[in-house]
Amino acid sequence: AQSVTQLDSHVSVSEGTPVLLRCNYSSSYSPSLFWYVQHPNKGLQLLLKYTSAATLVKGINGFEAEFKKSETSFHLTKPSAHMSDAAEYFCVVSLSDSGYALNFGKGTSLLVTP
Amino acid sequence: DAGVIQSPRHEVTEMGQEVTLRCKPISGHNSLFWYRQTMMRGLELLIYFNNNVPIDDSGMPEDRFSAKMPNASFSTLKIQPSEPRDSAVYFCASSDPSGWITEAFFGQGTRLTVV
């Protein structure tokens, strides 16, 4: 069964410092992985997706994630946090045996302080 | 395209009442998903449809919940009778699984409060 584990429920960074949100996946084969972001009282927006064409994936708003098969990880990073990055971030795996429904991690709440 | 459209955005109802949530997927997408989000359980997949046919409803909490997709452009999620523990944000999402990587596009959600 495919699943993801987000290692931190809350992360706090100062504006202008790097962001690291950690995610490990469990899959019996090469997974389809995504990061989604949810701002307060908003819907879910796709940040980036892993296509297996490249292990380093660039997304919107300066975010990127690196797929590391040896570590079964897909951590999300950003070099410099902005106040507007404060949101809930979800690591997601696609369940290819379930019509490509998405299986969400528990989420990481990112707080950005001035 | 306007994206996935859900209605209503907010619903407040009394326990025991019937509640119907509506979703219009992105045109051309033939997979549709209903998710529920709560603080305790996070985002849970309730049911998904492919080409208007329910494929997996194992996530539907109980018989009080039902979902239909009468055509490619409309789906409903019904709760009858509603209970306070059904209070949550319900999201509809659609995707086009003919592509290689099948991300889902989400609506803005319906915030349901059962009092």
Side-chain angles (χ1 to χ4, degrees):
Chain A
Q2 297 118 299
S3 65
V4 291
T5 301
Q6 292 184 245
L7 301 172
D8 307 292
S9 58
H10 295 84
V11 170
S12 181
V13 300
S14 299
E15 188 177 21
T17 64
V19 176
L20 170 64
L21 305 183
R22 299 182 294 165
C23 173
N24 287 112
Y25 68 89
S26 172
S27 176
S28 56
Y29 45 88
S30 184
S32 297
L33 293 163
F34 311 83
W35 277 96
Y36 278 80
V37 61
Q38 184 179 29
H39 287 91
N41 299 314
K42 300 286 187 182
L44 291 137
Q45 181 184 20
L46 179 69
L47 268 181
L48 50 81
K49 58 186 178 183
Y50 169 63
T51 66
S52 79
T55 56
L56 184 62
V57 182
K58 295 189 183 297
I60 61 172
N61 300 334
F63 284 94
E64 59 184 38
E66 186 171 7
F67 176 76
K68 291 187 176 180
K69 187 175 181 178
S70 60
E71 299 176 9
T72 62
S73 69
F74 190 57
H75 300 335
L76 182 70
T77 60
K78 183 174 181 178
S80 176
H82 191 273
M83 296 296 290
S84 61
D85 295 328
E88 189 84 11
Y89 291 80
F90 295 94
C91 183
V92 184
V93 64
S94 176
L95 305 175
S96 59
D97 56 350
S98 299
Y100 298 96
L102 302 180
N103 191 16
F104 282 76
K106 295 295 185 184
T108 298
S109 179
L110 176 65
L111 175 66
V112 182
T113 58
Chain B
D1 199 311
V4 176
I5 300 173
Q6 292 186 245
S7 63
R9 290 292 308 276
H10 302 273
E11 177 80 36
V12 180
T13 190
E14 291 185 346
M15 183 174 62
Q17 296 297 306
E18 176 181 296
V19 175
T20 299
L21 311 181
R22 297 173 175 78
C23 175
K24 179 180 175 8
I26 292 173
S27 177
H29 284 189
N30 56 6
S31 287
L32 183 140
F33 311 91
W34 282 99
Y35 287 85
R36 178 172 68 174
Q37 185 178 34
T38 61
M39 289 292 291
M40 292 295 293
R41 302 173 69 90
L43 271 154
E44 306 171 275
L45 176 65
L46 299 178
I47 185 171
Y48 78 91
F49 295 83
N50 190 43
N51 292 322
N52 312 336
V53 177
I55 304 300
D56 184 358
D57 65 355
S58 60
M60 296 285 261
E62 48 197 275
D63 292 344
R64 297 184 297 106
F65 286 68
S66 63
K68 293 182 179 179
M69 193 166 185
N71 57 61
S73 59
F74 184 65
S75 176
T76 59
L77 178 67
K78 185 178 293 186
I79 308 173
Q80 167 63 20
S82 57
E83 298 182 2
R85 60 194 169 118
D86 302 331
S87 297
V89 181
Y90 291 81
F91 287 102
C92 176
S94 69
S95 71
D96 175 12
S98 63
W100 182 26
I101 299 295
T102 54
E103 72 264 35
F105 296 83
F106 284 77
Q108 292 295 299
T110 295
R111 182 175 295 276
L112 173 65
T113 303
V114 183
V115 297

